[in-house]
Amino acid sequence: MRLRISRPHVRVSQGESAFAAGNARWTNRDLDPIAKNARKWGVLSIIAYWISDALQAATWQFASGMIAVGLTYREALGIVALSFFIISLVIAANGTVGAIYHVPFPVIARASWGFWGSYIAIISRVILAVFWFAIQNVNGGNAVRVMIGAIWPSFLELPNGIPESQGITTGGMVGFLLFWLLQVPFLCMHPNNLRWLFTVKSILVPITWLAILIWAFVTVKGGGGVFDQQAPTVSGSKYSWLFLANMTSVLGNYCTLSVNQSDFSRYSRVSAKWQLLYIPMLPIVFTFFSFIGVAASSAGQAHYKLETIPWDPMVLISYWPNRACRFFGAASFALASLGVNISANSLSAANDFTALAPRFINIRRGQLLCAVLSWCLVPWKILASASNFLNFMSAYAIFLGPIAAIMMFDFWVINRRRYDSLALYQPNNPRYRYTFAIPGLGGKTMSGTNWRAVVAFIVGVAPCIPGLINSVNSHIDVGVGIHPFEFGWLLGFVATSIVYLLLSWLFPAKETQVDRAILPDEIYDRGTVLDGLESDDPDRKDVVTDTQEKDVEKAV
């Protein structure tokens, strides 16, 4: 018996559906719409995913910066709740597209931006995903280091052989490497299987965090000094701008998922109406977990008589005398970093990489590429010596707000929830190629880019550029130009929405208008493709069942 070992192929496998016929430049199996038998996410999976996403160090620390600049804990938690209510509306709206058409964000972007124009949205998203994946690795590595220190206390005193200028110690590098290796098996898993990781995390981590909350109020009656502050230390216009700036900061942390929520909702097997669940759930879940961070940090300062509040959870945990508590506390944050790094960063980056080179990259390769790049970016050095760079990354929300607005209003208002799913995969189909007429030259050119989206995007981003420059280099004085940036996501979202709707009304792209939605199931029902021709009855091209038509109507 001869053992056959298949050699790895440079090119990834292509599907045999009508979506992929002669179309390797724009799709592969992972970009094709998810077929019925591959949709595994139910309501519990959706809930577990979002609870998992909320459980991370950033959520724990949301309120810390606001309290540090003079707001009370009540106002800080109010800002968190309001911000997540706003962002949940956009996440639900854009996530519904994926739940109906079962296609990822890079493909949906073609409808509003055009085939080539979609690269603006895709590249903007992938840059953010890769950098935050790298930075989240450092946070997870710190948790692993504390875990090792709880088991082997002398590890925390390990001699350091790395120059101080690198921003990391030998122990920190060990933690980073171990956490990076811990992620690799999950990076190779199909997104359908990852729902079990999110479910486990959404059970284990809340138990640990609730135990920490109980410890906080049992150890220090009243919760500590943070809860004693009755009024903010700022007032007037300074208070208003501070309120808006902190809201933008919170929105910036999750504005990415307002753009690419369809990367996950495409796997949903339940009605698209369940996307509305985000609207009440996100504000409640994120505000509650932020409250745990406030209570635990405040109690830690009072109990251990510290001069400053230990907002970093790893700092707080390091004060615990019980080694088992330190280990399991740090383990909860390591698991938290693992889950959110995959759900919010690596999977999103993988879909974007796949769209950029579908002949060579699939979701698995895209996630591994993201992991490799995380080393190349030396994130420990970024965290140690470039706080302005982190400000820039947080400020990246000014780019994603306009992108989310364009996609949202294109689907719900301009095209009235009606997309042609097959045309989204056919670059030669005029449906989403968009035309552009140059005055004096006559005729129209198939540009592949929706100029309306580009103009609206520029209008939404431009007012915030001076403030963005100042956030990167505070020595550059931009005067009142700093104010638009302080509510950049909201400004960009609203301004882009108005301009895009106005341009689409004055100069409608009539070629994108369809009388009814062309759903993926209709295309799959025709059968496979042989030599670029549909194997089943071609007369079924314009036939849609009543059930499929009702699926779209039920989504709203």
Side-chain angles (χ1 to χ4, degrees):
M1 180 177 179
R2 180 179 297 178
L3 179 64
R4 299 182 63 183
I5 300 176
S6 60
R7 294 179 300 174
H9 298 283
V10 175
R11 292 178 179 267
V12 299
S13 61
Q14 298 291 322
E16 295 183 349
S17 68
F19 299 99
N23 191 21
R25 172 64 185 80
W26 293 98
T27 191
N28 59 30
R29 288 186 184 276
D30 286 340
L31 286 179
D32 280 358
I34 302 299
K36 285 183 179 179
N37 61 351
R39 300 168 194 167
K40 304 294 185 182
W41 288 45
V43 176
L44 292 180
S45 297
I46 294 172
I47 294 174
Y49 167 82
W50 274 108
I51 292 177
S52 169
D53 226 38
L55 292 162
Q56 60 160 316
T59 307
W60 178 285
Q61 296 173 302
F62 268 148
S64 63
M66 305 181 207
I67 294 174
V69 296
L71 299 179
T72 66
Y73 81 93
R74 290 182 293 273
E75 291 162 321
L77 295 176
I79 289 174
V80 173
L82 177 60
S83 300
F84 274 97
F85 173 73
I86 294 171
I87 204 69
S88 68
L89 295 172
V90 186
I91 290 174
N94 283 331
T96 298
V97 189
I100 295 175
Y101 292 90
H102 303 284
V103 297
F105 151 69
V107 174
I108 292 174
R110 296 170 188 170
S112 52
W113 289 83
F115 274 77
W116 293 109
S118 66
Y119 284 170
I120 297 174
I122 293 169
I123 293 173
S124 297
R125 177 65 185 93
V126 74
I127 290 173
L128 194 66
V130 172
F131 272 104
W132 278 121
F133 181 88
I135 292 168
Q136 194 70 252
N137 279 345
V138 178
N139 295 332
N142 289 335
V144 171
R145 182 181 60 83
V146 174
M147 290 170 61
I148 299 174
I151 300 173
W152 178 25
S154 59
F155 174 79
L156 299 176
E157 301 175 1
L158 195 69
N160 181 37
I162 300 176
E164 185 177 350
S165 61
Q166 295 300 309
I168 193 170
T169 63
T170 300
M173 183 62 77
V174 171
F176 182 93
L177 174 61
L178 292 176
F179 182 75
W180 186 89
L181 291 173
L182 176 65
Q183 294 178 100
V184 172
F186 296 98
L187 300 179
C188 297
M189 293 173 63
H190 190 276
N192 267 327
N193 297 326
L194 286 172
R195 71 189 193 278
W196 298 113
L197 168 64
F198 303 142
T199 301
V200 170
K201 177 185 170 183
S202 66
I203 295 173
L204 296 182
V205 179
I207 292 174
T208 306
W209 284 27
L210 286 172
I212 294 174
L213 179 63
I214 294 171
W215 167 85
F217 282 101
V218 169
T219 302
V220 179
K221 293 184 178 180
V226 168
F227 296 97
D228 295 333
Q229 186 179 359
Q230 298 300 317
T233 58
V234 292
S235 60
S237 62
K238 184 177 180 181
Y239 173 85
S240 300
W241 289 116
L242 195 62
F243 188 98
L244 289 172
N246 281 286
M247 181 184 295
T248 298
S249 178
V250 176
L251 288 169
N253 274 273
Y254 276 85
C255 67
T256 53
L257 286 168
S258 71
V259 171
N260 71 295
Q261 178 59 26
S262 54
D263 286 342
F264 305 96
S265 62
R266 65 190 296 224
Y267 297 100
S268 173
R269 68 171 184 264
V270 296
S271 171
K273 67 182 180 181
W274 283 103
Q275 298 297 304
L276 296 174
L277 180 65
Y278 304 154
I279 298 173
M281 183 174 70
L282 266 58
I284 294 172
V285 170
F286 280 86
T287 304
F288 177 65
F289 290 144
S290 293
F291 173 73
I292 293 178
V294 171
S297 301
S298 178
Q301 181 193 32
H303 183 66
Y304 297 111
K305 297 179 174 57
L306 305 176
E307 294 183 3
T308 59
I309 299 176
W311 293 114
D312 184 343
M314 290 304 100
V315 173
L316 173 64
I317 290 173
S318 67
Y319 283 102
W320 293 350
N322 187 289
R323 289 166 58 184
C325 289
R326 288 205 308 271
F327 176 85
F328 288 110
S332 74
F333 282 92
L335 180 56
S337 295
L338 170 66
V340 77
N341 217 16
I342 292 174
S343 64
N345 298 322
S346 70
L347 267 177
S348 301
N351 277 285
D352 297 334
F353 281 132
T354 301
L356 294 175
R359 285 175 290 190
F360 305 101
I361 301 177
N362 55 20
I363 287 182
R364 179 180 297 178
R365 292 182 181 182
Q367 290 202 88
L368 293 174
L369 176 60
C370 180
V372 171
L373 289 176
S374 69
W375 281 94
C376 301
L377 295 175
V378 288
W380 49 86
K381 195 168 185 178
I382 293 174
L383 284 169
S385 61
S387 59
N388 287 335
F389 181 81
L390 284 181
N391 290 336
F392 172 78
M393 295 306 296
S394 297
Y396 215 83
I398 69 170
F399 298 100
L400 296 185
I403 293 173
I406 290 168
M407 296 177 63
M408 174 177 164
F409 284 98
D410 184 82
F411 177 73
W412 291 95
V413 180
I414 304 302
N415 287 287
R416 296 171 296 171
R417 312 186 310 278
R418 299 170 183 171
Y419 281 161
D420 182 342
S421 61
L422 183 57
L424 289 172
Y425 292 85
Q426 296 177 327
N428 295 323
N429 189 318
R431 180 79 68 200
Y432 300 115
R433 283 296 301 273
Y434 289 96
T435 57
F436 182 75
I438 301 177
L441 295 182
K444 293 184 177 181
T445 303
M446 301 288 285
S447 65
T449 301
N450 183 4
W451 63 269
R452 305 160 193 79
V454 175
V455 172
F457 176 75
I458 293 173
V459 170
V461 170
C464 302
I465 295 299
L468 176 63
I469 294 172
N470 177 262
S471 74
V472 175
N473 188 346
S474 58
H475 297 295
I476 300 177
D477 184 15
V478 297
V480 294
I482 189 68
H483 293 318
F485 175 76
E486 291 178 329
F487 63 109
W489 189 91
L490 288 170
L491 175 63
F493 186 90
V494 173
T496 297
S497 301
I498 294 172
V499 173
Y500 186 68
L501 289 172
L502 183 62
L503 291 176
S504 297
W505 177 64
L506 294 174
F507 310 98
K510 295 181 180 179
E511 66 273 15
T512 67
Q513 303 295 314
V514 293
D515 294 332
R516 61 173 180 81
I518 308 298
L519 300 176
D521 291 347
E522 175 187 355
I523 309 301
Y524 281 131
D525 286 346
R526 299 179 194 170
T528 60
V529 172
L530 300 175
D531 298 326
L533 300 175
E534 294 160 13
S535 60
D536 283 358
D537 185 1
D539 293 333
R540 296 182 61 193
K541 183 174 183 181
D542 295 323
V543 176
V544 64
T545 65
D546 292 338
T547 301
Q548 290 168 335
E549 187 68 32
K550 290 177 181 178
D551 285 343
V552 181
E553 298 301 328
K554 287 180 179 179
V556 292

